Amino acid sequence: KQEVTQIPAALSVPEGENLVLNCSFTDSAIYNLQWFRQDPGKGLTSLLLIQSSQREQTSGRLNASLDKSSGRSTLYIAASQPGDSATYLCAGTPAFGGYQKVTFGIGTKLQVIP
Amino acid sequence: DTGVSQDPRHKITKRGQNVTFRCDPISEHNRLYWYRQTLGQGPEFLTYFQNEAQLEKSRLLSDRFSAERPKGSFSTLEIQRTEQGDSAMYLCASSLGDRLNYGYTFGSGTRLTVV
């Protein structure tokens, strides 16, 4: 069974700091990977999708990369802002055994202090 | 198109009552997913539709749960004889294309509280 670990579980940083969130899969055979943001009591907002032929994606201050050989992904947030405070979840689609069985991590709770 | 819509946003019900949630996916998306998320956990897969066909159900989906997508557009998730353990956020997502190369778009969720 695919399991996803996100490190750290929680992170508190001062505004303006650059930070890295980590995500790893027990089964490294990942087809594609998506990073989401979730505000308290809300649904998930897609941030970045790394498709099967890609290794990284960038959107504004966000950059995500995926190392398929190790099953690890990182989300880099540059120049953090208080509005970035949220829980960040990664979700991977396995390469085999059912493409609909996307598995989520528990998330990293980020707090950016003004 | 305003994205994936879920209704209601919140539902409080007494134990033993039936509840039904609705999800309207992005119109051109042929795939629709239901997930459940409890506090402090990531979303867990419940079931999945491609057009009107329900292609997979998780073991989490007991016989008290039923989902439909009658015309391949909106979907409903019904929980019969609710239990306190059913309290969670129920999330709907939709996608287009093969093997999720277009990613998921989620709705805002329906928060269910069983008292």
Side-chain angles (χ1 to χ4, degrees), chain A residues 36-54:
Chain A
F36 294 89
R37 167 190 174 133
Q38 187 171 33
D39 293 289
K42 306 292 185 183
L44 279 68
T45 300
S46 178
L47 297 173
L48 292 165
L49 168 68
I50 303 176
Q51 296 182 347
S52 56
S53 60
Q54 300 169 332

Side-chain angles (χ1 to χ4, degrees), chain B residues 77-95:
Chain B
L77 177 68
E78 180 183 16
I79 309 174
Q80 296 182 329
R81 306 181 303 281
T82 52
E83 302 173 355
Q84 287 187 321
D86 297 331
S87 296
M89 174 78 87
Y90 290 84
L91 295 162
C92 176
S94 66
S95 72

Side-chain angles (χ1 to χ4, degrees), chain A residues 23-100:
Chain A
C23 170
S24 63
F25 296 80
T26 51
D27 183 350
S28 62
I30 299 298
Y31 187 77
N32 63 25
L33 183 135
Q34 201 166 357
W35 280 93
F36 294 89
R37 167 190 174 133
Q38 187 171 33
D39 293 289
K42 306 292 185 183
L44 279 68
T45 300
S46 178
L47 297 173
L48 292 165
L49 168 68
I50 303 176
Q51 296 182 347
S52 56
S53 60
Q54 300 169 332
R55 292 193 176 184
E56 67 175 318
Q57 277 290 317
T58 298
S59 176
R61 297 182 292 107
L62 305 180
N63 174 273
S65 64
L66 174 61
D67 180 350
K68 290 190 175 184
S69 64
S70 64
R72 295 176 185 271
S73 177
T74 60
L75 177 67
Y76 176 82
I77 302 177
S80 58
Q81 302 173 357
D84 295 331
S85 298
T87 297
Y88 291 80
L89 298 102
C90 64
T93 304
F96 308 104
Y99 53 80
Q100 64 272 26

Side-chain angles (χ1 to χ4, degrees), chain B residues 1-6 23-27 29 92 94 105-108:
Chain B
D1 195 343
T2 57
V4 178
S5 299
Q6 291 190 247
C23 172
D24 287 87
I26 292 173
S27 57
H29 285 187
C92 176
S94 66
T105 301
F106 276 88
S108 298

